[in-house]
Amino acid sequence: MIEINHVSKWYGSTFQALKDCTTKVAKGEVVVVCGPSGSGKSTLIKCVNALEPIQEGDIILDGIKVNDPKTDLPKLRARVGMVFQHFELFPHLKIIENLCLAQEKVLGRSHDEAMAKAAKLLDRVGLKVHANKYPAELSGGQQQRVAIARALAMDPIAMLFDEPTSALDPEMISEVLDVMVDLAREGMTMMVVTHEMGFARKVAHRVIFMDQGEIVEDALKDDFFGKPRSDRAQKFLSKILSH
Amino acid sequence: MNYNWNWSIFFEPAPGGTGTYFDMLLSGLWLTIQTGIFAWIIALIFGSIVGVLRTLPSKTAYWIGFAWVEFFRNMPLLVQLFLWFFVLPELLPRSWGLWLKQMPNAPFYTAAIGVGLFMSARVAVQLAAGIASLPRGQKQAATALGLTTFQGYRYVLLPIAFRIIMPPLTSEFLNTIKNTAVAITIGLIELTGQARSMQEFSFQVFEAFTAATVMYLLINIVVVTGMRFLERSLAIPGYITGK
C-alpha cells in the first residue's frame, strides 16, 4: 500500500532530515513510528502524501508514484486520510461543515450525500450532538475525534496519524486512542507517529524506530518490545517506558 | 479676527444656478462616496490577488507581489494621480492618449483607479500578514484533504484571514474615502472641491469646511458602524475574532 524506497530529504542545503529511509506498510497493516523528537518521524509521514517534497528516493502509494511530477497530487491526497497533532479543523466552519467541505469540493458529492456521510461518522466518534458547533467550542479530544471523522469522510484507503495525541491533556488521550483502536481492528491501513506505546502494543503489527533521520529499527511488534536490536531503541524504550 | 459668521449661507443659492450651497456640498459628498466605493472595490480586488501572490511558494508570484506593493506604496498618492492623469496619456501612442484625455469623467476614473491601486498595496500587505499568521497546519490540512491550492485559499485560508484583518481593513476603507480628497488636484470636484468652491464664491471659509468635516465624519461613522456589524456577524464562536 505504502512503499518508501531509499528516501532522503534535506531542509535547505545543509540539514538532512531523512537519510535513506526504506520501509513499507501493507494493506490492512498498522505501523507505529516512534523515536525522539527531531528524529524525522513527522517529516517522513508528511512525505507520504507529499505535504513535504523529497529529494531522493521514491514513495509509492497504492501503485502511484507520489514524487512523480505528473501525479495528480490533490486526487491522490484525497484518498489518504491525515490527522495532525494540532487537529487543524477549520475554525470558521461548523463541525458538520468541516466534514462536508472536501467531500463536496474534492469528491464532488452532493450536499445531502455529504451531510449523511458526515452525520454517520460523527455518530461513530460519539459527537453527533456537536454537529452544529464550531471547533473552538469543543475540547481537544473532541476536536481530534472530529479530525479523524473528517479524514474518514473521504473513504480513505489508508490513514496517516502525525502525533495525534501529543497536544492533548492526559484524560483526553484515551478517547482518541479508542477511536484509533477501533479503526485498526476494522482493518484500516494505518501509519501512526506516536509515543503511545500502549497503543502500539495493542494494535500495531510493526514498529519503526527512527533517530536522526534514519530508520534504526523496523521490527514486528513483539520483536520490538521483546528484544530491540539497537542500543538507541533500547535506550529510548527504557526512557519512555520507565514511568 | 474680522470674520462674519453666517451659518444660513447653506440655504442661499449658489452661483452655479443649480441650487443652494448645501446642494453643492451634497453633490460633492455624493461624488466622494462614489469615488471612495469604486476605489475600495479596486483596492479589495487587487489587494486580495496581490496579497495571495505574496504568500504562494512560487518565487515568481512572490516577486510580482513584491514589485506591486513597493511600486504603489513607495510613491506619494499625489504623485501617482499626476502620473496617471498628466503623464500616462503622453506616454501612450498619440491616439490612445487623446482618447484618454477626452474621456468624459476622466478625473473621476483616474481618481478612483489611482486611489484604488494605491490602497491595494496596503490591503495586500495586510492580507498577506493575515494569511501568514494562520497556523501552517491549516494549509497542510486543506492540502491533505485533496483541496487544490486555489480551493485551499478560497474555502479555508482567505475566509479566516479576512476575519482576522477586519479591524485594520476598516481603517483602510476609511483611508480610501479620505484619500479621494487628493483628487481635487486633478479637477475632481468632490466634497473637498465643493467646499473650496463654496469658500471662493461666498468667502465663508469656516462654514464651508465645517460642513465638509461633518460630512466626512458622517460617512466614516456609517462605514465604521457597518464594518463593526459585519465583523460581529462574521465572528467565529470561540475563535480569536469571536466574542
Side-chain angles (χ1 to χ4, degrees):
Chain A
M1 181 68 74
I2 303 170
E3 280 178 63
I4 298 171
N5 296 325
H6 302 287
V7 166
S8 291
K9 175 180 175 61
W10 284 262
Y11 283 116
S13 53
T14 46
F15 180 70
Q16 188 169 5
L18 295 177
K19 296 172 190 161
D20 194 28
C21 294
T22 299
T23 187
K24 65 179 179 188
V25 182
K27 190 169 189 306
E29 198 175 23
V30 177
V31 173
V32 162
V33 184
C34 63
S37 63
S39 61
K41 46 196 196 305
S42 284
T43 305
L44 181 69
I45 203 168
K46 281 179 179 159
C47 290
V48 172
N49 61 354
L51 286 183
E52 295 280 356
I54 58 172
Q55 279 80 41
E56 274 175 24
D58 287 317
I59 295 179
I60 294 158
L61 199 60
D62 196 31
I64 300 163
K65 199 165 140 189
V66 174
N67 52 317
D68 185 339
K70 289 196 285 281
T71 301
D72 181 354
L73 279 177
K75 205 174 156 193
L76 186 62
R77 287 183 183 120
R79 301 175 59 207
V80 186
M82 181 147 198
V83 175
F84 296 85
Q85 182 175 359
H86 296 287
F87 333 132
E88 305 303 350
L89 295 178
F90 305 135
H92 61 302
L93 299 179
K94 289 177 182 168
I95 298 304
I96 190 100
E97 294 167 339
N98 261 279
L99 270 72
C100 288
L101 179 67
Q103 289 192 68
E104 291 172 33
K105 304 301 174 195
V106 179
L107 301 181
R109 288 182 185 156
S110 73
H111 184 64
D112 291 342
E113 204 181 342
M115 289 288 277
K117 178 101 191 164
K120 210 171 94 193
L121 283 163
L122 280 181
D123 194 26
R124 174 183 171 160
V125 297
L127 294 169
K128 203 172 181 179
V129 291
H130 299 298
N132 287 310
K133 288 191 179 166
Y134 285 87
E137 298 174 298
L138 266 55
S139 73
Q142 291 172 327
Q143 288 189 52
Q144 194 62 298
R145 277 143 67 199
V146 172
I148 295 173
R150 178 175 71 177
L152 290 175
M154 304 294 284
D155 290 321
I157 53 169
M159 289 280 287
L160 307 172
F161 292 84
D162 183 13
E163 304 208 31
T165 57
S166 300
L168 294 176
D169 289 335
E171 77 267 25
M172 293 172 187
I173 290 178
S174 65
E175 67 186 57
V176 171
L177 288 181
D178 286 346
V179 173
M180 292 170 61
V181 167
D182 284 348
L183 209 53
R185 292 201 168 132
E186 281 168 26
M188 174 62 80
T189 308
M190 290 163 70
M191 188 166 172
V192 185
V193 173
T194 186
H195 292 135
E196 294 298 329
M197 289 302 125
F199 171 80
R201 276 183 207 273
K202 209 186 269 177
V203 294
H205 298 101
R206 278 184 18 248
V207 179
I208 293 172
F209 175 74
M210 291 185 71
D211 193 17
Q212 296 180 1
E214 278 174 282
I215 293 182
V216 178
E217 191 143 347
D218 182 347
L220 290 172
K221 170 182 65 179
D222 292 335
D223 293 344
F224 183 79
F225 288 112
K227 42 175 175 29
R229 279 156 289 182
S230 67
D231 278 357
R232 278 186 283 181
Q234 271 175 16
K235 266 190 200 138
F236 176 75
L237 275 181
S238 70
K239 272 183 200 155
I240 65 168
L241 293 179
S242 63
H243 297 290
Chain B
M1 191 172 70
N2 215 349
Y3 184 77
N4 286 320
W5 289 93
N6 176 14
W7 288 104
S8 58
I9 182 77
F10 298 113
F11 306 106
E12 290 171 21
T18 48
T20 60
Y21 281 109
F22 186 66
D23 293 330
M24 213 168 111
L25 289 177
L26 271 189
S27 78
L29 173 70
W30 177 230
L31 196 53
T32 288
I33 293 174
Q34 283 177 304
T35 318
I37 290 178
F38 193 176
W40 182 236
I41 292 171
I42 292 175
L44 273 184
I45 294 173
F46 285 93
S48 305
I49 296 170
V50 174
V52 167
L53 285 182
R54 280 169 69 102
T55 61
L56 291 175
S58 148
K59 275 255 159 37
T60 326
Y62 178 83
W63 280 109
I64 294 172
F66 175 82
W68 181 283
V69 166
E70 299 310 331
F71 180 81
F72 285 109
R73 79 169 168 189
N74 289 335
M75 224 190 308
L77 176 57
L78 187 63
V79 174
Q80 290 189 29
L81 284 194
F82 282 5
L83 267 185
W84 303 136
F85 196 69
F86 299 116
V87 181
L88 182 70
E90 306 301 328
L91 295 178
L92 292 173
R94 234 183 94 76
S95 56
W96 295 17
L98 214 62
W99 176 79
L100 262 186
K101 283 191 234 173
Q102 290 167 346
M103 195 169 63
N105 297 330
F108 170 75
Y109 290 113
T110 311
I113 295 172
V115 172
L117 293 180
F118 175 77
M119 295 307 293
S120 77
R122 304 178 54 100
V123 172
V125 172
Q126 286 173 7
L127 181 62
I131 295 171
S133 76
L134 302 178
R136 234 162 58 97
Q138 286 286 305
K139 191 176 186 180
Q140 290 186 335
T143 310
L145 280 167
L147 295 171
T148 59
T149 304
F150 179 80
Q151 288 174 324
Y153 274 92
R154 163 73 182 77
Y155 298 112
V156 178
L157 302 181
L158 288 178
I160 313 173
F162 269 116
R163 282 175 170 92
I164 292 175
I165 64 166
M166 200 69 96
L169 269 192
T170 305
S171 305
E172 295 308 337
F173 193 179
L174 300 180
N175 284 338
T176 307
I177 293 166
K178 289 180 289 181
N179 280 342
T180 58
V182 175
I184 191 179
T185 57
I186 55 169
L188 186 71
I189 312 298
E190 36 65 80
L191 183 50
T192 307
Q194 293 289 20
R196 204 174 64 165
S197 352
M198 175 175 167
Q199 169 230 319
E200 278 164 2
F201 291 135
S202 69
F203 303 106
Q204 301 296 2
V205 57
F206 290 104
E207 290 85 343
F209 280 96
T210 307
T213 307
V214 170
M215 286 179 174
Y216 275 115
L217 212 64
L218 283 178
I219 318 177
N220 286 350
I221 287 173
V222 170
V223 169
V224 169
T225 315
M227 288 295 277
R228 193 159 297 162
F229 179 76
L230 188 67
E231 212 177 303
R232 227 171 271 162
S233 66
L234 291 177
I236 308 166
Y239 197 59
I240 333 167
T241 57
K243 285 156 239 180

